[in-house]
Structure formats: C-alpha cells, structure tokens
Amino acid sequence: MRRAIFASLAALSLIGSVAGCSTADAKNGPQPPKRGGTLHVVVSAKPAHLDPQRVSTATEANVSRLISRTLTTFRSEPGAASSEIVGDLATDAGRPSEGNRVWDFQLKDDVRWEDGTPITCADVKYGVERSFSGLFSVAQPYAKTYLADTDGYAGPFVGGNNGGKGLSSVQCVDNRNIRFTLNQPIGDFGYTVAMSLFAPVPAKQDTKNDYDKHPFSSGPYKLQEVTDQQLVFVRNSYWDEKTDSVRKAYPEKILIEANGDLPTVTSNLITSDGENADAIDLDKNVAPNFVQQVVNDPDLSARAVQGSYGGIRYLAINSKRIPNLACRQALVYAFNKRKFRAAAGGSVYGDYANTMIAPQLKAHKDFDVYDSTNNVEGKPDVALKLMDEQAKANKPCPATLTLSIPDQKDIRRLATTIVETYQQIGIQVKINGIDPETYFDVIGNPANTNDLLWSGWIPDWANGSAVIPPLFDGRLIPTKANATNNQDYSLLNEPEINDMISAALAESVPDRQYRLWGELDQKIAEQAVTIPIVYMKALRMAGSNVRGGFIHPQFGQPDLCALGLA
C-alpha cells in the first residue's frame, strides 16, 4: 500500500518504548540478543487460534508471526519504524493501480514451507478464499469487506454453493504474481494484507477445522507440541533469513506458557531465578502491587518493557439488550474511571479515554460527549436523573445487568470496581466469568446474553479504518447461527453510520479520511454503545537474561520477532 503517498497513514508515535535489558545493560548500554537458548513466554491464556484465517486477538497475531508470513508485515524495530510495513513474502508493499482498486504483489524467490516446497501464488489465493467457508468462523472482516465479486461466495471446499470455485477478485497472474481487485478504492490495502487473514495456506496440508491445532509453517519456527498450558515452537529449517528482513529468530526454541496468576508471574520475573531469567510476560502488565517497586527500582525498570500505543480498554454495551439510548447514556455517565484505573495500577496502566480512536492515530478527534475528562469519577447524579426520567415515562432502565469478563483473578478484581460503581445508582451487576481461552469466541456470538462486555482494541494498522469498521459496521455482524466471529460487541447496526463508513473507506486523500473517521467516532459516541476507559500503556516484566524487547504498536506487546537471550 504505501510508500510516499500512503506512508502518512502509518504515522504512529510510541512514547517511552525501551528495550528490555538487565542491570548490567543499564550500566553498560544495551546488548543485542544472541542466537540460541530457549525463550519462555508467559501468557494469561493459551492462544485459542493459530490458524491464520482465525487469528483475532493481539496475542494470537503476535505468536502467529513466528509461523505465518504474509504478503507484507510490520517492521520489527522500536520507535516510529514499527508502524511501517515492508514486503514479507512479497518483494515490496504492493503496487496499486486503477485508482487504488487493483493491487499487485510479487512473491520473493525461494520462500518455502516447512517441508521445503515453494510458497506460490496459489497458496496465497487459497488462504484468502478458505476464509469465506462456513466451516469455521473468521474474525477479521477485511477480505469480505474489500474484495470485489464475493456475494454468495462460500470458499474453496467441495460442497460450497459456488461448487468450490475460486474468487475472480484474487487472481494468480503466474506462480509469483497475485492481483487483488477491490470493490472500492482502498488506499491502505498494503496494510490490510499484513493481516494473518491474508496468509497463505497449502491446500494439500489443509485439515480445515483441525488446521488450528497444527498450521503449516512459512516462518522461522514450526509448532512442535501442544499441551493444555503450553505451545512449543522449534526452528523451521527451510526458513531462509535472506528472504525475511523482519523476523530475527534468535532463540533455538520458544515455549509459550499459560499462567493466569499475575502476581505470581510478576514475582517470579522480578526474582529472575532459573528459567524465569529467560522469561517475559507477553500480554499482562506488572501486577498492581509490584508497580511501584518496578518503576522506582532502576535495575527492575531497566528490565521492564514499556510504552504506549494506539490501544484502548473499553466496555461494550449490548444495544440489543439495552435498546433505550437514555439508559445506555446513564451507564456511560455513571462509570468511575478513576476507581478502575487505580485498581489496575494507576497512570502506568493508561491515560483516561473518552474516544475509541486513540490520540496516537492521526484519525483521532478530540471530543468529550459525556464530560468525562473533568469527571473521572463519573457523574452519577446525571445518570440517576436519566434513569428517573425513563421510569416516569414507563420505560424503566434495567435494575440488573450481566458483565462478561475473561475469568482471571486480576480482571475479576477490576470488574469488582464496576460492580461497586453501578451499585451507587441502584443497578446490580452480575459478573459472568468465561474461560479466557475461548472468551472472544463466546462474546463473538451475537446471540450471547451479556449486557456489558469487557473488551480492548488495538488497531490492525494506524488509521481509523482499523478501528471503526470492524467494531461498528453493522453489516459485518454475522447472521449464521452459533457464529463466533463478531467484533461489533455492541451490536450497533445503524444505516447512517454504515453509509458513513463506506464513504470514509472510499476517501483516498489521507487527511480527509482521518477527518471522516474522527467524525464517525463522535457520532458513535453519541449512541452510547461503548464506555472508553483508558488508552492503554504497557509495562511488561522480563527476566534478567531477556534482550531485544520493545512494545510493538500492532500488538501492544513485546514483539516476539525481536526477542532473544543474552
């Protein structure tokens, strides 16, 4: 997508990003990782999906880059460079034509699968096409949203209503050249194909539903073993670093280990004994009771990987279960952001938010519909007035609500502050703890019965086009029974907003597009379907032997592609 004209779409500033290092590093200067050893990566729950067409969470996307390459990908470098894309399997970031409606990519020479067979255009085309199959749910909407001539298409598997035919909008010019035809001009499509949704899959290796358990690798590692709490990755001998300018592949082996006990994880990493010296917490900040110790100890602070990015922590309000706008507005007004953030660890957790597009993105518009900046403890008096007015109009607001959360100790503790907040306005909140491994699949079913849904969002790239459409385009809400791929957790489906989204996507002038996304953000805020809480920051603890850490804006996490050991 880019180079000169579209480079501005990726401008994302990182504040305070530092490389994880040891005490010795802090005194003598950063030391780069060395090759070899086993890197231990702690996650709060084992990634639910590694099938590239099913990947949806930031952790899944980060881990997926170890084994799945895409046409383009984001640089693995600290600072502003990390928001730039480069050719990955492709030789460059794409060549647009016909007013950004057609995009061509050429595959590099000698890129291979884990069995040594070449990666071809047919593999890329098949990967995109299989995402349309009804056999499994797909979280990312971009192929269905952007590609031309997809109406009625049901994927390449035998038995689809298209008879297993391919998409005409994804064309293999030859084995190394692939062409995408879009249904409208998309100026940042080069960023779109950096998503794992567009990763290749070899048809002969596709086990369909079981592909999630052992995807075929095109990256520097391959999946060796899967247990209930662990993923083991070892080197892929057919990966050639000469074809990959992004992945450093320092460790000989990478162990992804699930442990939801955050205080214990933080304590182990601070102590840094044994294998903990070679470990890093990927997806959770330092436990709140250790934050001051880490921040104020120069040695520990030097080891921590920290930074801000374009992510947001928010609550979604189910507009189908709470259809009354005034009742939703009351929930927004009553929310106590100060109590929530204090329980999370204070300002190190993030800055107070009142928009869904974070300030780090150029599409951000500065507005405050509910005057929350000046009232971080909420405005319960306004909430009570709204509720009283609805009761008098015989349209009472619900007195009991269900809040869905990933069932983990630290999140339950934060959810308690939400329960206490709404008790003050006479609303009882019941916490519905869901298995963290399947949480987003469960709330991704539009038929879920939760009123409030715990969520967070990190843009797939640094523009409003990676925030507003996936979260608020009602046309993307799946209608299939038992679907798990919805990301519009508020179930907002307003024709006027949908039309405005289409207009913004079609705008090819970046500054104009930024303005349109900002206006949409404000219009959606007026619908009171989300409660923005904080623009997230990261403070991830690393063992004393870990090197190369920085917070990558695409994941809001330390980039696995850059990590290694001393």
Side-chain angles (χ1 to χ4, degrees), residues 83 333 338 379 391 395:
S83 63
Y333 274 118
R338 185 204 61 77
K379 301 177 75 172
K395 296 184 290 184

Side-chain angles (χ1 to χ4, degrees), residues 358-427:
Q360 286 91 342
L361 277 63
K362 286 190 174 182
H364 173 78
K365 180 181 180 181
D366 194 13
F367 62 85
D368 191 359
V369 173
Y370 301 96
D371 194 24
S372 64
T373 301
N374 299 316
N375 298 275
V376 294
E377 295 186 353
K379 301 177 75 172
D381 54 333
V382 176
L384 286 168
K385 181 181 178 182
L386 285 168
M387 293 169 65
D388 184 56
E389 289 172 351
Q390 296 308 298
K392 291 177 178 177
N394 293 319
K395 296 184 290 184
C397 298
T400 303
L401 298 174
T402 299
L403 165 65
S404 68
I405 64 166
D407 199 2
Q408 295 171 327
K409 290 181 180 178
D410 58 315
I411 296 179
R412 272 197 174 272
R413 184 169 46 76
L414 294 177
T416 300
T417 70
I418 300 173
V419 173
E420 293 170 350
T421 289
Y422 288 127
Q423 283 176 342
Q424 295 181 12
I425 59 170
I427 295 176

Side-chain angles (χ1 to χ4, degrees), residues 246-374:
V246 173
R247 297 163 184 82
K248 309 301 189 295
Y250 292 119
E252 192 67 24
K253 181 184 290 188
I254 298 178
L255 270 60
I256 311 287
E257 304 166 286
N259 187 339
D261 188 346
L262 181 58
T264 298
V265 171
T266 300
S267 178
N268 289 342
L269 292 173
I270 287 174
T271 305
S272 197
D273 290 334
E275 291 180 347
N276 290 308
D278 300 335
I280 187 169
D281 194 333
L282 192 71
D283 63 352
K284 282 293 181 72
N285 281 339
V286 168
N289 53 313
F290 288 103
V291 166
Q292 292 306 313
Q293 179 184 355
V294 171
V295 170
N296 294 322
D297 185 318
D299 292 341
L300 294 178
S301 182
R303 270 208 268 137
V305 185
Q306 52 191 303
S308 63
Y309 52 98
I312 183 167
R313 172 67 60 206
Y314 72 99
L315 284 188
I317 302 174
N318 189 327
S319 63
K320 299 303 179 187
R321 292 181 59 83
I322 310 176
N324 187 320
L325 173 60
C327 294
R328 297 198 303 268
Q329 289 173 332
L331 293 173
V332 180
Y333 274 118
F335 195 90
N336 191 322
K337 297 179 184 180
R338 185 204 61 77
K339 180 178 287 189
F340 181 97
R341 192 178 77 163
S347 60
V348 71
Y349 185 80
D351 299 321
Y352 294 124
N354 45 50
T355 68
M356 291 298 292
I357 299 177
Q360 286 91 342
L361 277 63
K362 286 190 174 182
H364 173 78
K365 180 181 180 181
D366 194 13
F367 62 85
D368 191 359
V369 173
Y370 301 96
D371 194 24
S372 64
T373 301
N374 299 316

Side-chain angles (χ1 to χ4, degrees), residues 46-123:
K46 192 179 72 176
H49 301 294
L50 289 178
D51 182 327
Q53 275 73 50
R54 296 187 183 188
V55 163
S56 62
T57 70
T59 299
E60 290 169 0
N62 198 354
V63 174
S64 180
R65 281 220 298 181
L66 299 175
I67 57 173
S68 294
R69 297 180 66 178
T70 42
L71 290 171
T72 65
T73 195
F74 290 85
R75 292 184 184 276
S76 182
E77 301 173 26
S82 59
S83 63
E84 298 175 0
I85 56 167
V86 294
D88 187 5
L89 289 174
T91 56
D92 56 32
R95 299 178 301 281
S97 60
E98 298 186 25
N100 295 324
R101 286 181 178 269
V102 175
W103 284 79
D104 284 275
F105 299 86
Q106 183 179 74
L107 296 179
K108 295 174 181 175
D109 284 322
D110 207 31
V111 285
R112 297 181 178 274
W113 293 107
E114 66 176 72
D115 64 352
T117 56
I119 299 171
T120 66
C121 174
D123 298 329

Side-chain angles (χ1 to χ4, degrees), residues 120-342:
T120 66
C121 174
D123 298 329
V124 179
K125 177 177 169 67
Y126 180 80
V128 177
E129 291 173 342
R130 75 192 288 272
S131 74
F132 286 80
S133 172
L135 290 183
F136 54 82
S137 295
V138 181
Q140 296 175 340
Y142 305 115
K144 294 180 180 179
T145 306
Y146 291 170
L147 295 178
D149 303 324
T150 61
D151 289 346
Y153 184 66
F157 306 145
V158 174
N161 63 13
N162 61 326
K165 295 179 181 178
L167 278 173
S168 60
S169 52
V170 185
Q171 178 187 358
C172 284
V173 179
D174 55 40
N175 274 344
R176 289 185 56 208
N177 288 277
I178 187 166
R179 177 172 296 155
F180 296 92
T181 302
L182 311 182
N183 57 23
Q184 61 183 315
I186 302 294
D188 50 9
F189 189 70
Y191 283 85
T192 307
V193 297
M195 301 299 100
S196 61
L197 175 70
F198 287 83
V201 171
K204 291 183 179 180
Q205 302 292 339
D206 188 4
T207 52
K208 301 179 176 62
N209 277 324
D210 289 335
Y211 197 71
D212 226 0
K213 301 174 184 176
H214 202 115
F216 215 54
S217 177
S218 56
Y221 297 92
K222 58 184 179 181
L223 188 59
Q224 181 187 59
E225 183 182 2
V226 180
T227 68
D228 288 343
Q229 297 298 317
Q230 193 176 80
L231 301 172
V232 181
F233 296 91
V234 296
R235 286 196 181 279
N236 170 14
S237 59
Y238 287 100
W239 171 78
D240 187 349
E241 63 182 331
K242 295 178 182 177
T243 70
D244 193 338
S245 64
V246 173
R247 297 163 184 82
K248 309 301 189 295
Y250 292 119
E252 192 67 24
K253 181 184 290 188
I254 298 178
L255 270 60
I256 311 287
E257 304 166 286
N259 187 339
D261 188 346
L262 181 58
T264 298
V265 171
T266 300
S267 178
N268 289 342
L269 292 173
I270 287 174
T271 305
S272 197
D273 290 334
E275 291 180 347
N276 290 308
D278 300 335
I280 187 169
D281 194 333
L282 192 71
D283 63 352
K284 282 293 181 72
N285 281 339
V286 168
N289 53 313
F290 288 103
V291 166
Q292 292 306 313
Q293 179 184 355
V294 171
V295 170
N296 294 322
D297 185 318
D299 292 341
L300 294 178
S301 182
R303 270 208 268 137
V305 185
Q306 52 191 303
S308 63
Y309 52 98
I312 183 167
R313 172 67 60 206
Y314 72 99
L315 284 188
I317 302 174
N318 189 327
S319 63
K320 299 303 179 187
R321 292 181 59 83
I322 310 176
N324 187 320
L325 173 60
C327 294
R328 297 198 303 268
Q329 289 173 332
L331 293 173
V332 180
Y333 274 118
F335 195 90
N336 191 322
K337 297 179 184 180
R338 185 204 61 77
K339 180 178 287 189
F340 181 97
R341 192 178 77 163

